[in-house]
Amino acid sequence: MAPNILAYENEDVELLPEFEKKGYRTTPILYVNGERVPRDVATKARPNQTLLSFLRDDMLLTGSKLGCAEGGCGACTVMLSRANVETGTINHISVNACLMPVLAADGCHVTTVEGVGTVKGDNLHPIQKAMVDMHGSQCGFCTPGIIVAIYALFANNPTTAYVEEHLDGNLCRCTGYRPIWDAARSLCTDSDSGVTRGPCGTACRECPERDECEMDCNEQDKLGQKEEKKSESSAESNTCCSTSDHKISQFKDTIPESKSEWLEQPSNLFPKELLLQDSTAEGRELTKPLVVASCQAYHTGTTWLKPTTLIGILDLLKRFGNDGGCKIIVGNTEVGIGEIAEDVLYSFSHSTIDSKSMSLLNISLHRVLF
């Protein structure tokens, strides 16, 4: 039985031949966990469909969870990787799949928690193992998103300061976050187990004002130092490990000494077809603009347009942007929430994510320079 949802007729389907003559393609090119999404599955992607919905409903990858549906809890976090063809580098970022339109991932590589590691064949990623060892997961609903968030941070800068500064956007109602941070810190390339540093950057035990300092880090380190002395005096100490340093030292045998192999996993998993656009069929297809008009029953009749030049964007805005039914989509934090909370629908959505000419745009106070 069909769902009880009002079906919209999308008259834009009649415009597809016109756009195809202009060089537009009508099927997105999507890569998930190192492999290209089959064409018959990619054609199911709808203009008003989120990346999370596509992953769970069409690809049956249910590791990413739906929590708040407005980009606040991070349970849906996936990693989006995009090639910079000019520099030959790969950019890795974590995104909220509950808001990001699936068609905005055209030409990108999406990594879900299933692509990070799996229990099959004992192929858990070190981040996943650390989360288990450090008790960073309790109910487990938020865990996939947190793992992918840490995975994306390590892909960019696996240092303690960077991860501590940027590990946010993921809510956990169970753990209190401390064991999650312990798991992340234990894998940082500059992890200095046994050394507690305060906001000043100085090791607490080397601070000349250690006796007078009342900072929490210093007080906790003093307690930790007392416990260490007790442990040294008793070969069979039953003291509970209560600090990050204690926990890291306790599980140091499970922490991989060589980190280069798994740290390079995000780049190694990235499809070469996306990095060598000029020499592959997929790469040459990606240079073409994209148009997708939803003509499926029981879904809204939104049309997705993705030009590749600034002129293309201006032409589309001139043609479709006068009646207020057109929106330029980047992060989808307005339109995505509006469609869910306020039932606001737009006939056209324009994506500028891959419009190369936009990088040449320089806006001053009085004029636009190209």
Side-chain angles (χ1 to χ4, degrees):
M1 182 178 178
N4 185 22
I5 302 176
L6 179 63
Y8 291 77
E9 292 185 4
N10 191 355
E11 298 178 354
D12 298 333
V13 175
E14 300 175 359
L15 300 177
L16 292 182
E18 174 191 338
F19 281 103
E20 288 181 297
K21 289 181 180 179
K22 293 181 179 181
Y24 277 73
R25 53 192 168 86
T26 58
T27 302
I29 297 176
L30 305 170
Y31 284 82
V32 177
N33 296 333
E35 297 182 0
R36 182 173 178 177
V37 177
R39 183 181 179 87
D40 61 327
V41 179
T43 54
K44 297 180 181 179
R46 306 186 306 273
N48 64 328
Q49 184 180 26
T50 65
L51 178 58
L52 181 63
S53 171
F54 181 79
L55 292 171
R56 291 180 60 86
D57 300 337
D58 296 318
M59 297 201 66
L60 304 181
L61 295 173
T62 56
S64 304
K65 308 302 181 185
L66 176 62
C68 65
E70 55 184 29
C73 70
C76 64
T77 304
V78 299
M79 188 178 77
L80 192 74
S81 303
R82 188 193 312 276
N84 187 325
V85 181
E86 296 180 357
T87 62
T89 58
I90 305 171
N91 300 322
H92 306 286
I93 58 172
S94 59
V95 299
N96 293 315
C98 71
L99 285 182
M100 181 175 180
V102 59
L103 294 178
D106 176 58
C108 301
H109 177 233
V110 178
T111 303
T112 68
V113 69
E114 291 92 344
V116 174
T118 175
V119 294
K120 296 180 180 179
D122 193 25
N123 287 321
L124 283 178
H125 191 277
I127 295 175
Q128 295 169 314
K129 292 181 180 178
M131 287 285 284
V132 174
D133 292 340
M134 305 286 182
H135 308 288
S137 176
Q138 291 187 24
C139 81
F141 190 84
C142 66
T143 304
I146 292 175
I147 287 174
V148 176
I150 297 174
Y151 183 80
L153 291 177
F154 279 138
N156 289 285
N157 187 345
T159 61
T160 304
Y162 181 84
V163 175
E164 184 175 14
E165 176 68 21
H166 295 86
L167 184 56
D168 54 17
N170 294 83
L171 301 182
C172 175
R173 299 293 296 273
C174 302
T175 65
Y177 302 104
R178 182 58 177 269
I180 296 173
W181 167 237
D182 291 341
R185 182 187 168 191
S186 69
L187 297 173
C188 291
T189 53
D190 61 344
S191 176
D192 47 1
S193 177
V195 179
T196 301
R197 298 182 184 276
C200 62
T202 303
C204 291
R205 299 186 186 183
E206 299 176 1
C207 179
E209 301 178 358
R210 179 173 174 80
D211 295 336
E212 294 79 19
C213 179
E214 298 181 355
M215 295 291 292
D216 290 342
C217 57
N218 189 43
E219 295 298 327
Q220 292 176 4
D221 188 66
K222 288 180 179 179
L223 293 175
Q225 191 173 27
K226 291 180 180 179
E227 297 297 341
E228 290 175 9
K229 292 181 179 179
K230 290 182 180 179
S231 299
E232 292 174 358
S233 61
S234 176
E236 299 180 355
S237 175
N238 295 321
T239 302
C240 176
C241 293
S242 58
T243 68
S244 296
D245 294 326
H246 284 159
K247 291 177 69 175
I248 293 174
S249 62
Q250 183 182 23
F251 293 101
K252 62 182 179 181
D253 293 337
T254 65
I255 301 174
E257 295 182 1
S258 177
K259 301 179 180 181
S260 60
E261 182 177 351
W262 61 266
L263 284 175
E264 295 173 0
Q265 177 179 321
S267 296
N268 293 336
L269 194 63
F270 189 82
K272 299 299 184 289
E273 297 88 343
L274 297 180
L275 197 57
L276 305 173
Q277 289 191 10
D278 296 333
S279 57
T280 63
E282 293 88 348
R284 288 189 290 271
E285 278 292 302
L286 283 172
T287 62
K288 300 178 181 179
L290 172 69
V291 57
V292 177
S294 178
C295 55
Q296 298 183 20
Y298 310 108
H299 291 294
T300 57
T302 305
T303 299
W304 181 273
L305 293 157
K306 175 188 164 186
T308 55
T309 64
L310 180 58
I311 298 300
I313 296 174
L314 297 177
D315 286 342
L316 292 174
L317 289 175
K318 181 179 180 181
R319 181 175 180 180
F320 302 113
N322 294 326
D323 59 357
C326 172
K327 271 287 186 178
I328 295 180
I329 303 297
V330 181
N332 203 38
T333 53
E334 177 195 358
V335 176
I337 296 177
E339 288 182 349
I340 297 172
E342 304 173 11
D343 292 329
V344 178
L345 302 176
Y346 295 92
S347 300
F348 293 90
S349 296
H350 294 187
S351 172
T352 63
I353 293 178
D354 272 347
S355 299
K356 297 180 181 178
S357 295
M358 292 298 286
S359 62
L360 304 177
L361 184 64
N362 181 16
I363 301 178
S364 68
L365 292 176
H366 306 289
R367 58 190 183 277
V368 179
L369 305 177
F370 299 93

